[in-house]
Amino acid sequence: MHRLLRMGGLLLLLLSLLLAPAGHVAVHGIRHTVVGQPVEMHAARPSTPSFVLMGGDANVDEAFRWMISKAGGGNFVVIGVDNSDEYNDYIYRMGGVSSVQTLIIPDAAAARNPKVAARIREADALFIMGGDQSEYLRYWQGTPVQEAIQELASRNVPIGGISAGLAILGQYVFSAARGSIGSSMALADPYHERLTLARDFLDLPHFEGVITDTHFDTRNRLGRLIAFMARITKDTEQRPVRGIGVDSGAALLVEGDTAVRVGKPTSAVYFLSAQNPPDVCEPGQPLTYRDIAVHRLTGDERFDMRTWSKNETRDGIYLASVADGKLRKSAVALAPGELFHWEYGTY
């Protein structure tokens, strides 16, 4: 009897430590790890929203330092579904934060735990790890976790994500509910069973009508992003529809109306925009979709998220079109700000 009482007391103690403010706790699949000392008094919030879109494959140090500068010395929180706390030491060694905490939220039951959402709401910066965005949508959407992230955004707490964590930042999301899809497959049939879309996980400034994509260069994803946009345009009343593709090793820093690319010098960020619906977007038929404006951001160039244009130069601005499932790019540089006024050329 005494042994049973002792075991019961240990269990209660363990449960009471769920999401304790320091150390490492794992209960019912939830895992919380901390380096540093969490603080309760938060710094003044930034006056404008700020976001980081990181393409994947490699962390971009400059992007994390930028988020830390926005956090005001407080708590940097990282969330995901996979059992990893690799970001704790990596971010904490950069300095400038009181603590770095990783929350592993592996299923819907964990996402409904009010203590998890409470911990997220205490973040002064929030970063969403890579992994599988279908799990984020399946486990987190419609739960207090989703509500807590949205609350942070409404308070201008900096929010970032890499790979799958980037994929869920747009109004529209490639959900990967039936696995991934490549550009050739998506262009050959924009209603392929693997081209699955979701929407409204988050409502972020300047991301209305936007779908994002990751690992853009290494996985040749321009074609599939255009196919995503065609589906959104065909299936909804969304006009215009826009896309952001981020190369591996790159990050996009968005503050207010302005976005700037950082990261590997050879990496880029692509901004796509289309006003008109596709010519052909039907199940089982190759896509035909003309005159998608593409702005390629390189170096330290800046992009205006409000006007959706690169105003400093004509370089890297062109049209892309799909005819019978084949992607073509125009060689004509387009004037900055001229978004929907061109005639279709020869491809």
Side-chain angles (χ1 to χ4, degrees):
M1 177 63 72
H2 292 297
R3 183 180 180 184
L4 290 174
L5 289 173
R6 285 197 301 271
M7 292 178 62
L10 288 172
L11 179 58
L12 289 173
L13 176 62
L14 182 60
L15 290 173
S16 70
L17 289 174
L18 176 61
L19 301 179
H24 166 193
V25 176
V27 176
H28 297 314
I30 302 169
R31 187 168 184 263
H32 179 224
T33 57
V34 182
V35 295
Q37 182 60 48
V39 293
E40 295 183 3
M41 293 185 62
H42 300 289
R45 304 299 182 198
S47 59
T48 57
S50 55
F51 308 103
V52 167
L53 284 68
M54 201 172 298
D57 287 342
N59 295 315
V60 180
D61 293 354
E62 186 175 350
F64 282 102
R65 293 191 180 99
W66 185 80
M67 288 188 73
I68 288 170
S69 72
K70 305 296 177 187
N75 305 312
F76 199 117
V77 176
V78 181
I79 60 174
V81 299
D82 293 327
N83 196 18
S84 171
D85 58 4
E86 62 185 88
Y87 283 101
N88 282 5
D89 290 336
Y90 163 69
I91 296 173
Y92 192 72
R93 282 198 301 267
M94 294 181 179
V97 292
S98 299
S99 72
V100 183
Q101 309 176 41
T102 295
L103 274 168
I104 302 304
I105 314 165
D107 53 37
R112 289 191 293 269
N113 187 314
K115 293 185 178 180
V116 172
R119 188 65 66 188
I120 292 173
R121 287 188 172 92
E122 294 175 357
D124 296 287
L126 181 77
F127 191 76
I128 307 170
M129 289 192 285
D132 182 347
Q133 62 260 37
S134 70
E135 294 181 328
Y136 294 161
L137 294 169
R138 189 165 67 250
Y139 300 152
W140 298 353
Q141 194 158 22
T143 72
V145 164
Q146 180 188 20
E147 295 171 0
I149 299 172
Q150 186 62 54
E151 181 181 318
L152 293 183
S154 70
R155 303 201 319 256
N156 293 339
V157 171
I159 296 174
I162 185 170
S163 191
L166 183 164
I168 62 174
L169 296 183
Q171 180 188 5
Y172 295 93
V173 180
F174 169 58
S175 69
R178 296 189 180 96
S180 189
I181 188 170
S183 286
S184 59
M185 187 179 293
L187 293 174
D189 180 4
Y191 283 87
H192 191 284
E193 63 177 3
R194 287 194 175 187
L195 204 164
T196 55
L197 299 173
R199 61 179 295 172
D200 299 325
F201 181 77
L202 293 174
D203 179 12
L204 304 180
H206 297 308
F207 287 86
E208 179 183 357
V210 172
I211 185 165
T212 63
D213 210 352
T214 65
H215 306 279
F216 209 62
D217 52 347
T218 57
R219 302 185 188 179
N220 190 27
R221 285 180 166 173
L222 176 60
R224 82 169 197 171
L225 181 55
I226 290 174
F228 297 162
M229 294 169 61
R231 277 284 305 277
I232 294 167
T233 306
K234 181 68 182 294
D235 296 348
T236 75
E237 298 298 320
Q238 183 67 53
R239 302 289 189 279
V241 62
R242 292 165 169 171
I244 300 176
V246 185
D247 282 352
S248 299
L252 185 72
L253 314 182
V254 181
E255 183 173 17
D257 294 339
T258 303
V260 62
R261 186 219 69 92
V262 297
K264 189 171 63 174
T266 56
S267 64
V269 179
Y270 298 78
F271 297 85
L272 283 64
S273 186
Q275 179 72 27
N276 298 318
D279 298 85
V280 179
C281 185
E282 301 293 340
Q285 297 187 36
L287 178 66
T288 295
Y289 194 15
R290 306 181 193 278
D291 293 353
I292 297 95
V294 181
H295 292 235
R296 183 175 184 266
L297 202 68
T298 58
D300 59 356
E301 291 179 321
R302 296 178 181 275
F303 190 84
D304 190 318
M305 298 289 288
R306 182 179 54 83
T307 62
W308 205 259
S309 62
K310 186 172 68 166
N311 295 318
E312 297 172 352
T313 175
R314 294 166 63 101
D315 294 339
I317 306 176
Y318 58 89
L319 290 178
S321 289
V322 177
D324 198 28
K326 305 299 181 184
L327 176 64
R328 298 289 184 270
K329 303 176 186 177
S330 99
V332 179
L334 305 173
E338 293 186 85
L339 280 185
F340 306 115
H341 306 289
W342 316 290
E343 295 183 358
Y344 178 62
T346 301
Y347 298 86

